[in-house]
Amino acid sequence: MFLLVFICLILLFPQLMYSYDPISCALKKKASIFLEGDIMIAALLPFYTWQRQIKATGHYQNVRRLKLKTYMFFLSFLFAIEEVNRNSNILPNMTLGIDANNFPFIDADTMYISLKWISGIDRMIPNYNCRKESKSVVLITGPSWTASALFGELLELYKFPQLTIGRYDPILSGNTHLTSIYQMAPKDTFLAHAMISLILYFHWNWVGLCISEDERSLQFWSDFRIEMDKNGICMAFVEIMSLGRSLASPDIKVDKILHILKSSVNVIIVYFDSDSLITFFHMVEQSLMTQKVWVMASPYHSFKMKQSMFLHPFHGSLMFSHHHKEIAGFRKFIHAINPSKYPNDIYLAIHWSLIFDCSFSESDCTKLENCPLNASMGMSPYPFIDMAISEESYNLYNAVYAVARILHDLFLHQVEFQGRGGLKRLVHFPWKLHYFLRNTQLYHLDSNQVILDEKRKSVAEYDILNYCHFPINFVHMLKVGMFSPFAPPGQQLSLHEDMIEWALGFTETPQSLCSESCTPGFRKAHMEGKAICCFDCTPCPENEISNETNMDQCLKCGDNQYANMQRIHCIQKGVTFLSYEDALGMILTSLSLFFSGLTVSILGIFVKHRTTPIVKANNRTLSYILLISLTLCFLSSLIFIGHPNTATCILQQTVFAAVFTVALSTVLAKTVTVVLAFNITSPGRRMRWLLISRVPNFIVPFCTLIQLIPLGIWLGTSPPFVDVDTHSEYDHIIIVCNKGSVTAFYCVLGYLGCLAVGSFTLAFLVRNLPDTFNEAKFLTFSMLVFCSVWVTFLPVYQSTKGKAVVATEVFSILASSAGLLGCIFLPKCYSILLRPERSYSYHCRNKKHFETKMSSEN
């Protein structure tokens, strides 16, 4: 039987040896860090935590997770205590000590651990303090908000001072039931504004947000949303998570994690407390490549020290850390620290064994063996220095100095009035420190104020850190920028973009947009039912531009400008008018000169052959007046061509109205002459007298005088003036003559139309009278042409714009004048120049016919 038991023990021996855990053994012997002093500063910090993991059987088991970051910022506590004890100007002849215990951050055990610490023994005894002489005057907790609040509720019963070193918690400061808690960190009043400033710097407008399900995160979300709405930033999603402190907590929603990683946004804002942040990122780390830019409200350190061939999922992340000066001498202290210098610090030994692959002695599990010689924290590629020189370290260092200076002032006061015994009695009544903690304003590093009173606490400035974690396990926290709320607006954020190492998949600055930016020349057209950052891009309308990216409305160019083809610039319009250099202007000028020259030539022919019957017929004087007026009509068109000015604008209408009135009244007089000549039935009657007395010649001045009356009223009330037409041509401003009074202009045309219609009617009635030199037919055709031209002119004039209006008016003047000239005078010129014999035979025949008619009447 004995042999069988011995054999079983031999077989089970490897398994028993394999299950031996030297770290558990070490922690059972020395779970706290104790440094003797006259006055003690206690601390409850998460040196390790218990976290639940799922076993292969499906059951949960608690696994210890060492928190290297906690120990690294604890070193500032140790450094500050040693520095104060060496300083003869602070608490002379007295020393400060450390009583640091682990708090594993399991909510259910908070009350147990708190009461055990207060009781001073390993058993929890409510309302009893079993310490014979407790020398702790203050308790330091953090960095977790939840842990500090849970401790504060219990310590409030004893009015025991508590200093927290984590991020500022507005819930703690606003809780009237937690008056014994003092927060070392400055207020995060401008954290949301700082993160929005970073988003705006990179022109991101489509981001996600992950926060924990607590009042602090919801307050941050409220502040962030206000800043977001001010600056036109949209939220793709807001994931509010209830994260436990276990890596396999049922509270963690895996579908939410997958939704975050599969979302279209490239930038995700993360706001958790320190413990929830670690839990959240452990879940995300399961994906080796997230291709997301994580913007964190607080620094994050990965605790995995094993090498990987892949980039860390949070490589390239940006983090906001409280700005502070480096603690003088602290870096050197970290390089010099080693387990042999602090043999009672079991956590240093544990981390040393993990970093440098040491082993614990089998005979004494608190001692190390097989460690490399001259090893130091600076030899590791992992960023231990970055972890140690953190905002928690800075707050913890300031907390020690705040307590030390208050105790020093109390020491001076007690020695003066009560002797040294008064200070010794203080350790039994730590609640007396509250008055001094609330009313003391200290200065330490970089002359920064350390104000513990919540009402007077300062606000934080932020360093922007770039988290770089390469496959060779080289980790570096690079400062790439800073945000200062005290700087002038527009200068609060300073950033070195070229120094930023972005996440895998981004070769340049990543973009995070719901819609692609609308380039210049386009404007945003918001999509119904979508966020304001989601839009389509539509081109700007005619003569409108957008010279910036993502403009909501296009800008209309001025009247003297026009938009280029790309709709991004307004170009100054060129000035134009119907000039002599234009092709159209040259053609019209040539026609005007040609017809005026032709008219003068015909006038010369008529003057030369003035004695011929064909010239003398139908009143020679009226023919001369008509030819002269037609010459002036042709030449008047030249006034419409060239750069307009006030004089030419007035002359255009007055000359046009006057010469055309003379021409039409002359035609009317010639028509009346024909009517009178062929309606004389008795030489002694009145019509014969009218013809002989040349009454038709008075029609010209009479009709012209009537036209001058409305013309004078027009010029006296609303004369023509120089105007600009900015709308007819897209890229030019046209200088034109404004008619002034359109009504007066149409009255002038109406009067000319009446003369033309009257002449046409009379000429049409006598067109068939039997006379060789009867020009009634020619007058009829000329008036028909004249009326056709100006009737066509009216709709064309109304429908055209710009230089075409002027060209239409000039063309109508030339066409109507040419119609009069061609229909009335060209047939006579043909007879005079090419068939002169017809003129003589017609003259003899007509004379005989006239004498026969007169004798028969007698």
Side-chain angles (χ1 to χ4, degrees):
M1 185 67 182
F2 176 78
L3 180 62
L4 181 62
V5 171
F6 179 76
I7 293 173
C8 290
L9 290 175
I10 293 296
L11 294 175
L12 291 174
F13 182 75
Q15 184 176 356
L16 293 174
M17 291 298 296
Y18 176 77
S19 63
Y20 171 71
D21 184 2
I23 295 179
S24 298
C25 173
L27 290 175
K28 286 181 180 179
K29 292 187 176 183
K30 295 181 180 180
S32 62
I33 302 174
F34 188 82
L35 179 64
E36 184 63 45
D38 296 323
I39 299 177
M40 305 295 290
I41 298 178
L44 285 175
L45 301 173
F47 292 109
Y48 65 88
T49 62
W50 291 104
Q51 297 173 325
R52 289 195 302 171
Q53 282 189 338
I54 301 178
K55 299 171 62 176
T57 59
H59 299 288
Y60 290 101
Q61 66 175 354
N62 288 330
V63 178
R64 182 189 297 109
R65 296 289 178 182
L66 294 169
K67 302 191 71 172
L68 178 59
K69 182 182 178 181
T70 300
Y71 183 76
M72 296 309 296
F73 68 70
F74 167 77
L75 291 179
S76 67
F77 188 13
L78 181 61
F79 176 72
I81 292 292
E82 292 185 357
E83 198 173 55
V84 169
N85 290 339
R86 289 195 304 266
N87 192 339
S88 60
N89 295 322
I90 303 178
L91 294 174
N93 301 321
M94 299 192 70
T95 59
L96 294 179
I98 297 175
D99 183 9
N101 294 270
N102 179 63
F103 176 63
F105 290 115
I106 300 177
D107 296 348
D109 295 338
T110 302
M111 186 66 69
Y112 171 79
I113 294 173
S114 303
L115 290 175
K116 188 175 75 169
W117 177 81
I118 293 173
S119 301
I121 58 177
D122 291 336
R123 291 182 298 117
M124 179 183 68
I125 305 177
N127 297 324
Y128 282 89
N129 185 347
C130 298
R131 297 175 186 266
K132 292 184 178 180
E133 187 178 352
S134 174
K135 294 185 289 185
S136 297
V137 295
V138 70
L139 175 66
I140 296 177
T141 60
S144 171
W145 295 320
T146 305
S148 298
L150 292 174
F151 278 126
E153 291 176 359
L154 182 60
L155 295 178
E156 183 68 25
L157 300 175
Y158 301 91
K159 298 298 179 182
F160 198 91
Q162 177 185 350
L163 303 181
T164 66
I165 62 172
R167 281 287 180 95
Y168 183 83
D169 183 2
I171 308 301
L172 288 180
S173 64
N175 194 332
T176 57
H177 301 291
L178 298 176
T179 59
S180 299
I181 295 181
Y182 301 91
Q183 302 188 69
M184 298 303 303
K187 292 182 179 180
D188 284 317
T189 307
F190 291 93
L191 177 59
H193 182 63
M195 301 184 83
I196 289 293
S197 298
L198 180 71
I199 293 172
L200 292 176
Y201 179 89
F202 291 112
H203 305 288
W204 298 329
N205 65 7
W206 188 241
V207 298
L209 177 66
C210 298
I211 60 175
S212 55
E213 192 176 14
D214 54 55
E215 294 183 28
R216 305 157 194 84
S217 298
L218 295 177
Q219 179 61 48
F220 170 79
W221 162 227
S222 177
D223 298 338
F224 191 80
R225 182 169 53 188
I226 292 173
E227 293 290 336
M228 182 182 67
D229 293 340
K230 287 180 183 178
N231 295 278
I233 299 172
C234 301
M235 197 64 66
F237 61 83
V238 179
E239 292 291 355
I240 303 176
M241 300 183 179
S242 176
L243 298 180
R245 293 180 182 84
S246 68
L247 296 181
S249 172
D251 296 331
I252 296 177
K253 306 297 183 181
V254 178
D255 56 338
K256 288 188 175 183
I257 301 294
L258 294 176
H259 173 256
I260 293 170
L261 297 179
K262 293 180 180 179
S263 65
S264 61
V265 298
N266 290 329
V267 177
I268 301 175
I269 311 299
V270 179
Y271 186 88
F272 292 108
D273 65 9
S274 57
D275 300 297
S276 298
L277 182 66
I278 295 171
T279 304
F280 173 76
F281 279 137
H282 177 81
M283 297 296 297
V284 177
E285 283 176 359
Q286 307 306 315
S287 172
L288 293 178
M289 292 179 237
T290 63
Q291 293 188 350
K292 304 291 183 185
V293 177
W294 304 89
V295 180
M296 309 178 197
S298 58
Y300 163 78
H301 294 273
S302 175
F303 297 98
K304 293 182 177 181
M305 290 186 286
K306 62 182 182 180
Q307 295 189 7
S308 171
M309 63 181 293
F310 300 104
L311 284 173
H312 194 270
F314 303 111
H315 171 78
S317 300
L318 297 174
M319 309 174 183
F320 283 80
S321 175
H322 286 169
H323 173 72
H324 56 78
K325 272 278 186 151
E326 185 173 325
I327 302 172
F330 187 42
R331 186 181 295 269
K332 183 178 179 181
F333 173 81
I334 297 173
H335 280 280
I337 196 170
N338 60 72
S340 61
K341 189 175 181 180
Y342 297 94
N344 294 325
D345 188 345
I346 190 59
Y347 294 102
L348 176 59
I350 292 173
H351 290 301
W352 202 268
S353 67
L354 296 175
I355 296 171
F356 298 106
D357 198 22
C358 304
S359 59
F360 284 93
S361 173
E362 296 182 3
S363 59
D364 186 355
C365 58
T366 63
K367 295 183 179 180
L368 293 175
E369 296 178 345
N370 304 320
C371 293
L373 298 177
N374 301 322
S376 68
M377 291 288 189
M379 296 173 57
S380 173
Y382 203 75
F384 296 113
I385 305 299
D386 290 337
M387 294 173 66
I389 305 174
S390 62
E391 59 187 64
E392 292 88 356
S393 300
Y394 182 78
N395 294 336
L396 187 51
Y397 181 84
N398 282 339
V400 173
Y401 264 91
V403 174
R405 291 184 182 277
I406 291 173
L407 292 175
H408 179 78
D409 294 339
L410 280 172
F411 172 77
L412 297 178
H413 179 77
Q414 297 285 354
V415 168
E416 181 177 356
F417 294 100
Q418 302 179 22
R420 292 182 60 86
L423 188 59
K424 292 183 178 180
R425 287 192 296 273
L426 180 65
V427 298
H428 299 288
F429 308 101
W431 53 267
K432 291 185 178 181
L433 288 177
H434 286 300
Y435 173 81
F436 300 96
L437 288 170
R438 293 192 186 101
N439 296 280
T440 300
Q441 181 171 307
L442 305 174
Y443 291 86
H444 197 56
L445 292 180
D446 195 28
S447 298
N448 287 335
Q449 295 183 359
V450 180
I451 302 174
L452 301 181
D453 182 23
E454 302 296 340
K455 297 180 181 179
R456 298 181 294 122
K457 186 173 287 294
S458 61
V459 297
E461 297 179 285
Y462 300 97
D463 290 331
I464 301 175
L465 308 178
N466 186 208
Y467 181 75
C468 303
H469 194 149
F470 296 97
I472 58 173
N473 208 38
F474 174 75
V475 182
H476 185 52
M477 304 281 282
L478 179 64
K479 178 180 176 180
V480 295
M482 181 178 175
F483 178 87
S484 174
F486 309 110
Q491 303 177 22
Q492 295 176 324
L493 178 69
S494 59
L495 202 65
H496 301 286
E497 186 178 352
D498 55 330
M499 297 174 59
I500 299 177
E501 180 74 24
W502 294 109
L504 181 65
F506 299 113
T507 57
E508 56 185 11
T509 302
Q511 297 296 314
S512 189
L513 306 170
C514 178
S515 301
E516 289 296 325
S517 298
C518 292
T519 58
F522 292 81
R523 68 173 181 87
K524 295 193 295 186
H526 295 290
M527 303 167 63
E528 187 175 355
K530 299 286 187 178
I532 193 173
C533 301
C534 303
F535 48 81
D536 291 326
C537 297
T538 59
C540 288
E542 184 178 351
N543 210 36
E544 293 186 11
I545 65 164
S546 63
N547 51 9
E548 296 179 3
T549 303
N550 289 337
M551 290 189 66
D552 292 315
Q553 296 293 334
C554 297
L555 303 176
K556 189 173 180 63
C557 292
D559 289 339
N560 59 344
Q561 297 175 322
Y562 69 97
N564 63 346
M565 295 298 294
Q566 292 77 24
R567 303 285 202 275
I568 59 176
H569 295 298
C570 287
I571 302 174
Q572 194 72 23
K573 287 184 176 181
V575 177
T576 186
F577 49 87
L578 185 60
S579 66
Y580 296 105
E581 290 77 14
D582 292 342
L584 183 59
M586 293 176 66
I587 293 173
L588 295 176
T589 301
S590 300
L591 290 175
S592 175
L593 295 176
F594 170 75
F595 282 117
S596 59
L598 179 62
T599 307
V600 171
S601 300
I602 293 175
L603 178 60
I605 292 173
F606 268 59
V607 172
K608 183 178 180 180
H609 298 87
R610 62 185 175 276
T611 58
T612 60
I614 198 170
V615 175
K616 293 169 64 177
N618 298 103
N619 200 324
R620 181 172 53 192
T621 303
L622 292 178
S623 297
Y624 293 161
I625 295 174
L626 181 57
L627 287 169
I628 293 172
S629 62
L630 287 177
T631 302
L632 295 177
C633 287
F634 287 122
L635 294 177
S636 68
S637 63
L638 298 177
I639 305 176
F640 291 82
I641 305 173
H643 194 293
N645 54 58
T646 304
T648 57
C649 288
I650 294 175
L651 287 175
Q652 283 178 9
Q653 307 307 322
T654 55
V655 172
F656 163 73
V659 297
F660 264 85
T661 301
V662 172
L664 290 177
S665 59
T666 303
V667 173
L668 179 61
K670 289 175 72 66
T671 307
V672 171
T673 301
V674 174
V675 172
L676 293 175
F678 287 94
N679 283 278
I680 296 175
T681 57
S682 175
R685 296 191 179 180
R686 182 174 298 177
M687 284 195 179
R688 181 178 177 84
W689 176 83
L690 292 174
L691 183 62
I692 295 172
S693 61
R694 301 185 181 275
V695 172
N697 292 350
F698 293 98
I699 294 177
V700 177
F702 179 74
C703 293
T704 305
L705 182 61
I706 295 175
Q707 179 71 295
L708 293 178
I709 294 173
L711 193 61
I713 297 174
W714 180 11
L715 297 179
T717 57
S718 181
F721 58 90
V722 179
D723 197 5
V724 291
D725 182 1
T726 59
H727 305 290
S728 298
E729 292 192 16
Y730 182 73
D731 55 350
H732 284 90
I733 298 174
I734 304 173
I735 302 179
V736 295
C737 286
N738 191 301
K739 298 295 187 294
S741 174
V742 179
T743 302
F745 173 71
Y746 283 113
C747 287
V748 169
L749 287 184
Y751 181 72
L752 294 176
C754 291
L755 292 177
V757 172
S759 300
F760 173 76
T761 303
L762 289 176
F764 182 79
L765 294 176
V766 298
R767 68 188 185 282
N768 294 322
L769 293 177
D771 185 32
T772 304
F773 301 115
N774 181 14
E775 58 181 357
K777 291 183 180 180
F778 301 138
L779 295 175
T780 303
F781 283 116
S782 67
M783 287 298 99
L784 182 62
V785 172
F786 184 90
C787 292
S788 300
V789 169
W790 287 102
V791 168
T792 307
F793 163 80
L794 291 176
V796 175
Y797 179 80
Q798 293 292 335
S799 60
T800 54
K801 295 180 179 180
K803 293 190 294 185
V805 175
V806 182
T808 301
E809 196 166 357
V810 172
F811 179 79
S812 298
I813 293 173
L814 295 177
S816 59
S817 301
L820 294 177
L821 179 66
C823 292
I824 296 175
F825 294 103
L826 286 183
K828 294 182 179 182
C829 290
Y830 172 79
S831 298
I832 293 172
L833 298 177
L834 300 179
R835 304 293 295 272
E837 70 282 356
R838 292 179 59 190
S839 177
Y840 177 76
S841 62
Y842 289 155
H843 169 68
C844 294
R845 185 170 35 217
N846 284 331
K847 182 177 180 181
K848 181 178 180 181
H849 172 75
F850 182 75
E851 290 175 351
T852 303
K853 181 177 181 181
M854 293 297 292
S855 61
S856 64
E857 288 180 356
N858 292 331

